Amino acid sequence: MVGGIRPAAEGRARPGPPGIRAYDGVVCLGGEDWWYHNRGHFDLQLMRRFSRRMPVLYVNSLGARIPSPLRSSSFARRILRKLKSATKGLVAVEENFAVLSVVTIPGLNGTRLLTGLQAGTISAAAARLGIGRPLLWLALPTAVDLARRLGGAGLVYQRTDRFEAEEDIDARRLVELDLRTKTTADLTLFSSRTMFEEERDRCGKALYLDHGVDCRLFAEAGDSPSDPGDMEGIARPRVGYVGAMDPITIDQALLEALVRSMPDVSFVFVGPSTLGGAWREADNAHFLGQKDYGLVPSYMAACDALIMPWRDNEWIRACNPVKLKEYLCTGRPVVSTYFPELDSYEGLVRVAASPQEFSSAIRAALRDPPEKESCRARMAGETWEARLEAVIAALAEEGIPPADAAPSREAWPEAARRGAPARRGRGRLKESQNG
């Protein structure tokens, strides 16, 4: 055992019959960094469930952009936290779940030299965990060439955000990498119906996979609320937002109007924020910073209503925030600006656009909140465990089962036992011409 990791037998995947590509572990090239991002994200949730079945190596995000001090007021903080992450190396953070930080150099990621170095580091870490034939999982298309160098039993591409719609990013490059990844992946996952319908025909195999939620965890917090220490002095009613706040996703003008026009309401913001403006200093605006994900339910439950004040842009129209289900399971009324995924939650979320509409919706939600049980009933069966089983089943249909579910050699057809050649995968990833 390596620091809480149970290796697969002899560190090798049990061979399968021709056409079957069994995997004995998962290597996830993640979209977040375990050491400083919210751990409630899609890839981290599914990897933690995967680790109950086989070893998982989570590789912290390589990033999708080149940071610039001219474009970001938090440039120094971003560089410092990435450097701190890089010094940690390989760490077993949970039973059967390890996290790895590899060398990243802005502007050089994707070049042959650095990709080769990263692939060697990852392969060595996977071997230490007993992963001999990994399922590769990509949360960012910028890691596609690294995945090609690693090789594995199969490739899953998680298309849960429209990264090319971010500001100050090389959109043309991301679109090219995204298309190449979708056409070569064995399975592409979409959490947004909008993106699924628009892009499914560009994929080898596509699956709409809505977010899961640990409803019991949030329901228990909602039914037995206890104020966190830094909320004890905040007056009610409290309207909360939990999550990262940045100018790309958050409608700052809307928030400022709400804070200034509703002085009798305390607005509580829990999460990292790069928003600016004098309104942040208002007596009824409380920025509490990022909290450990395990504390998130208690902060949601300490509020009287919860909001999602999104901008109307391409990123938001293709989003499906995890927090929506968490909000509903907590049992607090929810008010949001419109985005297409809300069509599935009619009657459970109040939708508003202008500051006046949003203010009226908040007051109506505080006066007449929906029934908790109605909100939670909508979440029945929406577990992360169910989402993982859907992924495993979709991969098995493509001839990519977990090693412990692959047929034994005795069950192979006679031709297979004689050593007939295995079927090749859907396609080969082409290496970028960078470097």
Side-chain angles (χ1 to χ4, degrees):
M1 180 177 289
V2 181
I5 302 294
R6 299 189 301 273
E10 300 180 0
R12 298 174 63 86
R14 177 155 59 94
I20 298 297
R21 294 175 283 154
Y23 55 95
D24 64 345
V26 184
V27 173
C28 177
L29 306 179
E32 287 75 44
D33 192 298
W34 174 270
W35 302 114
Y36 54 79
H37 282 142
N38 182 339
R39 295 173 186 171
H41 287 279
F42 190 95
D43 53 346
L44 284 168
Q45 291 280 12
L46 288 178
M47 290 308 109
R48 294 170 91 169
R49 270 68 181 182
F50 247 130
S51 70
R52 299 169 186 173
R53 184 163 182 168
M54 62 184 64
V56 170
L57 175 63
Y58 186 88
V59 181
N60 285 323
S61 174
L62 304 179
R65 70 171 78 201
I66 301 175
S68 169
L70 301 178
R71 294 195 303 257
S72 174
S73 60
S74 58
F75 172 78
R77 178 179 60 85
R78 289 172 181 264
I79 294 296
L80 180 60
R81 71 183 186 180
K82 198 62 181 177
L83 288 173
K84 287 182 177 179
S85 173
T87 64
K88 294 182 181 294
L90 177 65
V91 181
V93 294
E94 294 179 359
E95 181 72 13
N96 233 30
F97 186 99
V99 172
L100 175 67
S101 295
V102 298
V103 174
T104 62
I105 303 175
L108 293 182
N109 283 330
T111 61
R112 289 187 178 94
L113 179 61
L114 188 54
T115 297
L117 176 62
Q118 293 168 339
T121 302
I122 294 168
S123 295
R128 285 189 63 190
L129 306 182
I131 302 175
R133 189 160 173 77
L135 174 68
L136 297 177
W137 188 292
L138 270 66
L140 290 173
T142 48
V144 63
D145 290 324
L146 177 54
R148 186 201 65 81
R149 292 289 292 269
L150 290 170
L155 176 65
V156 174
Y157 176 35
Q158 172 190 314
R159 174 72 163 152
T160 46
D161 286 298
R162 188 162 274 165
F163 290 103
E164 66 272 18
E166 284 194 46
E167 298 173 357
D168 299 322
I169 203 164
D170 188 346
R172 179 178 296 180
R173 174 173 173 266
L174 276 181
V175 167
E176 186 273 327
L177 291 173
D178 169 70
L179 180 59
R180 185 149 55 90
T181 308
K182 283 186 296 199
T183 56
T184 52
D186 294 287
L187 178 64
T188 299
L189 304 176
F190 294 90
S191 64
S192 160
R193 294 180 194 275
T194 298
M195 280 204 296
F196 175 69
E197 295 299 337
E198 291 178 358
E199 303 179 15
R200 61 190 301 182
D201 292 339
R202 305 170 205 167
C203 305
K205 180 181 177 68
L207 176 68
Y208 171 71
L209 194 76
D210 196 2
H211 294 297
V213 66
D214 187 348
C215 197
R216 177 189 56 81
L217 182 66
F218 289 87
E220 288 178 354
D223 290 341
S224 302
S226 177
D227 283 357
D230 53 355
M231 287 192 68
E232 290 179 351
I234 298 177
R236 293 184 183 274
R238 301 168 181 162
V239 172
Y241 172 88
V242 180
M245 304 183 71
D246 59 66
I248 299 172
T249 57
I250 298 295
D251 188 334
Q252 294 189 82
L254 171 61
L255 269 187
E256 179 174 6
L258 291 174
V259 168
R260 295 193 184 283
S261 66
M262 304 179 75
D264 58 317
V265 173
S266 296
F267 289 87
V268 181
F269 305 106
V270 180
S273 173
T274 56
L275 302 182
W279 66 275
R280 288 173 48 99
E281 306 302 322
D283 291 341
N284 62 329
H286 306 270
F287 288 81
L288 304 185
Q290 184 169 339
K291 306 297 179 183
D292 183 271
Y293 185 66
L295 299 175
V296 165
S298 64
Y299 278 90
M300 289 184 181
C303 296
D304 301 298
L306 296 161
I307 60 173
M308 293 185 291
W310 305 127
R311 288 178 60 184
D312 181 17
N313 57 25
E314 188 178 357
W315 175 282
I316 293 301
R317 287 190 290 273
C319 82
N320 183 7
V322 176
K323 67 172 58 61
L324 174 56
K325 291 184 178 180
E326 295 171 344
Y327 279 5
L328 291 172
C329 287
T330 305
R332 301 298 179 265
V334 181
V335 181
S336 177
T337 51
Y338 177 76
F339 57 100
E341 286 294 325
L342 284 180
D343 293 344
S344 299
Y345 299 88
E346 186 176 354
L348 300 180
V349 178
R350 295 179 186 271
V351 180
S354 68
Q356 295 77 16
E357 291 175 352
F358 213 103
S359 173
S360 297
I362 288 175
R363 295 199 183 280
L366 292 171
R367 288 193 308 269
D368 185 24
E371 291 289 331
K372 292 181 182 180
E373 294 312 313
S374 297
C375 296
R376 292 167 184 169
R378 170 63 178 78
M379 300 299 108
E382 305 277 323
T383 66
W384 288 111
E385 288 76 13
R387 298 297 182 259
L388 177 59
E389 290 306 315
V391 173
I392 291 174
L395 285 169
E397 290 176 358
E398 298 299 296
I400 309 172
D404 59 10
S408 65
R409 188 174 182 84
E410 290 71 24
W412 297 3
E414 180 62 27
R417 291 200 295 271
R418 291 198 303 266
R423 175 177 63 87
R424 285 186 173 271
R426 184 181 304 281
R428 294 182 60 83
L429 296 174
K430 297 179 181 179
E431 187 172 8
S432 168
Q433 298 305 307
N434 294 337

